[in-house]
Amino acid sequence: MRLCIPQLAFIALVIILGVSSMLTGCGKKGPLYLPDEQPKNILQQS
């Protein structure tokens, strides 16, 4: 099977998009968790 130029361009596009989507996750730091709910009005005026 011989690849033509549009097929090579499509394969290159898929590879580039896949690698770029994997690299976008590299900038995230810290543990992955859902933040706790915010406490309701802890400070009370006296």
Side-chain angles (χ1 to χ4, degrees):
M1 182 174 129
R2 193 171 163 200
L3 295 176
C4 61
I5 292 175
Q7 288 175 328
L8 290 175
F10 178 72
I11 292 171
L13 179 69
V14 168
I15 291 173
I16 290 171
L17 290 176
V19 169
S20 64
S21 68
M22 285 188 281
L23 289 177
T24 56
C26 292
K28 307 293 183 197
K29 293 186 177 182
L32 299 176
Y33 65 93
L34 292 174
D36 296 331
E37 293 183 13
Q38 296 292 330
K40 297 179 181 178
N41 296 337
I42 293 177
L43 300 175
Q44 295 180 358
Q45 295 178 351
S46 51

